[in-house]
Amino acid sequence: MALPFIVTLAVTFLAWAVAAILSQSMGNAMTLSASVWLATGVTFGALMVVKPAKRPAVLAGAALAAVALSLLDGLALLPALAFGANEALAASLGAWVARLLRAPGPDGRSEPGKAYAGFLLGALLTSALGGGIAIVLWSWALPQTIPMLTEWRVWTCTTFVGILLIAPLVTSFAGFKVKRSGGMATSQFLAGAGTFVLFFVVAALIFSSDVSDRFSASLGPTLTYLPLPFMVVTAILWKERGATVATLLGALALIAWTNAGGGPFAEVEGFAGEAVIEVQGYVAVMALLVGVVNALGATATQALAQAQDWRTRYRQVLDSNRTVVANFDAKTGAAQWGEGASELLRTNAAGLLTVQDFITHADPQEQPALLADWRDLAQGQREHALWKNTLRWSDGRVAAVSARLSGVRGADGQVEQVAVLLEVEA
């Protein structure tokens, strides 16, 4: 057990350190603070995907990395340990909340929409709690007066945006294995690459340093959200894994351009660091849009899988009982045959276009009674009818069937369809 613990701790430590270094490189010259804090996203994401036995190793690795960073920033050992504990505590509580809403239901599957809502709630809890504890620790470690509310806001916003960018990346690639086949089609990948390039081109035009020369001061801010549709389309085409990578790269580019003084956010600042707040909000909106797209896509995929599962079970039950399902339009008699109808009826069901076509193959002496039953059902005078006939097809083959017909009424109370369940004797 010692080796897996050490490996998990080391991987978390390194990933957290890389994310922290990248975050510090995204610092703003005016505020002297990181515009986005990605490291806590590593902790949060890892706690979402690892098994319970490995969570202590993740927390230990993240805490040690936070302690090491604090020591390098000049803090004494005791405050550094406190900041490491803050990282572990805030992330563990937030991830616990997220996992609660991500828990699978009775059918063994989690609801993507509910899971994403839990993720957002957990991210907010981690960010706000970590920021609250941090300002207390700062006031203890650095007794000089610090703007408490401002420090809390900076910590909370940068951490929240970082979790939105990194944690979905970690969770989407959990268990990823390279496969020679089974991925997205080449055309789909190229289409997503095209929209991603368009996002960068449009974003570069709007967030470049000479935006004021290209657009008027009033027009620039109105164009800021023009790149977002391209990112959303990229997310739809590339699915969850590709979408999380694209969102991270796009967000880092937007933040870097803004920190360098480019884009409409940096054109006019009412106070130092206003552009940082605005670009954080922009990136958060982009990440939320992509997250919602991913959740909706996962919901659709899950619904399709469930439908396919039930379809398979339904077909197996019908086949095992030699049963055919059909629907007839109450007004026209037009037929819709279920799967396997041709095999069980021993004829091409596509040729039985209406209920009248079906009845013509019954015994001629029984046909008037069958037509009368049909009229009663279609007019709503009867709810059910039972037919038991031997059908003779034009090629000489026969099929002995027992059919139960039931009228299906619409919202106006009138019969719209007649559902038929036919059992074919062996």
Side-chain angles (χ1 to χ4, degrees):
M1 295 298 292
L3 182 58
F5 182 91
I6 294 174
V7 171
T8 303
L9 185 152
V11 170
T12 305
F13 182 95
L14 291 175
W16 198 100
V18 170
I21 293 171
L22 180 59
S23 299
Q24 290 182 328
S25 70
M26 306 293 291
N28 181 268
M30 294 295 294
T31 61
L32 299 178
S33 63
S35 300
V36 60
W37 186 250
L38 306 172
T40 302
V42 173
T43 313
F44 190 98
L47 290 174
M48 291 291 293
V49 298
V50 301
K51 296 180 180 179
K54 292 186 176 181
R55 289 171 193 162
V58 170
L59 294 174
L64 287 176
V67 170
L69 180 65
S70 300
L71 293 174
L72 291 175
D73 286 341
L75 288 182
L77 178 59
L78 191 56
L81 291 173
F83 275 101
N86 181 30
E87 173 71 15
L89 175 63
S92 61
L93 288 177
W96 174 73
V97 170
R99 287 194 303 269
L100 283 180
L101 296 180
R102 195 184 186 185
D107 60 352
R109 301 176 182 179
S110 59
E111 300 178 20
K114 183 179 178 181
Y116 189 65
F119 163 73
L120 293 178
L121 184 61
L124 283 172
L125 175 60
T126 296
S127 306
L129 179 62
I133 297 175
I135 60 174
V136 175
L137 294 178
W138 278 124
S139 62
W140 165 58
L142 303 173
Q144 65 268 30
T145 302
I146 61 172
M148 303 284 282
L149 184 59
T150 301
E151 182 67 26
W152 179 83
R153 177 190 58 77
V154 170
W155 186 292
T156 301
C157 291
T158 56
T159 303
F160 180 67
V161 174
I163 294 175
L164 289 183
L165 296 176
I166 294 296
L169 184 69
V170 175
T171 56
S172 65
F173 277 90
F176 173 75
K177 293 181 180 179
V178 178
K179 298 180 181 179
R180 298 182 62 181
S181 63
M184 72 176 70
T186 302
S187 58
Q188 181 182 352
F189 173 79
L190 292 177
T195 56
F196 187 47
V197 170
L198 286 174
F199 165 83
F200 260 98
V201 171
V202 175
L205 290 174
I206 297 174
F207 285 85
S208 59
S209 58
D210 54 349
V211 64
S212 58
D213 298 332
R214 188 174 295 109
F215 306 107
S216 64
S218 60
L219 183 60
T222 63
L223 299 176
T224 52
Y225 288 94
L226 190 58
L228 291 185
F230 297 105
M231 180 60 73
V232 171
V233 175
T234 302
I236 294 173
L237 291 170
W238 276 359
K239 307 302 181 183
E240 186 178 8
R241 285 172 178 161
T244 54
V245 174
T247 304
L248 176 61
L249 295 177
L252 293 180
L254 294 172
I255 293 172
W257 287 331
T258 301
N259 287 343
F265 297 143
E267 286 290 307
V268 179
E269 284 194 300
F271 55 88
E274 182 181 7
V276 175
I277 299 175
E278 291 173 338
V279 77
Q280 285 175 341
Y282 185 92
V283 167
V285 168
M286 183 174 71
L288 287 170
L289 282 174
V290 172
V292 170
V293 167
N294 289 335
L296 291 175
T299 301
T301 301
Q302 187 180 92
L304 182 61
Q306 289 177 331
Q308 185 62 40
D309 184 38
W310 277 107
R311 177 184 177 185
T312 301
R313 296 182 186 180
Y314 178 70
R315 177 70 185 275
Q316 289 173 339
V317 170
L318 293 179
D319 288 349
S320 63
N321 290 280
R322 300 187 61 79
T323 302
V324 177
V325 173
N327 284 309
F328 295 113
D329 186 275
K331 292 183 178 180
T332 66
Q336 291 182 335
W337 295 96
E339 291 182 272
S342 296
E343 292 82 355
L344 290 177
L345 290 174
R346 299 171 187 157
T347 189
N348 184 9
L352 303 174
L353 300 179
T354 65
V355 67
Q356 290 80 7
D357 293 338
F358 180 80
I359 292 175
T360 57
H361 293 282
D363 189 307
Q365 296 180 354
E366 298 178 352
Q367 290 181 19
L370 298 179
L371 289 171
D373 287 344
W374 168 257
R375 285 193 296 268
D376 290 345
L377 285 168
Q379 294 172 5
Q381 297 177 9
R382 295 176 61 181
E383 295 296 327
H384 307 285
L386 296 176
W387 292 351
K388 189 169 183 178
N389 309 94
T390 298
L391 305 176
R392 300 184 181 275
W393 310 117
S394 56
D395 60 2
R397 289 183 293 181
V398 298
V401 300
S402 296
R404 177 181 176 85
L405 293 80
S406 301
V408 180
R409 298 180 182 272
D412 59 356
Q414 300 298 314
V415 177
E416 293 183 347
Q417 290 185 332
V418 175
V420 184
L421 196 64
L422 298 95
E423 185 177 351
V424 181
E425 296 180 7

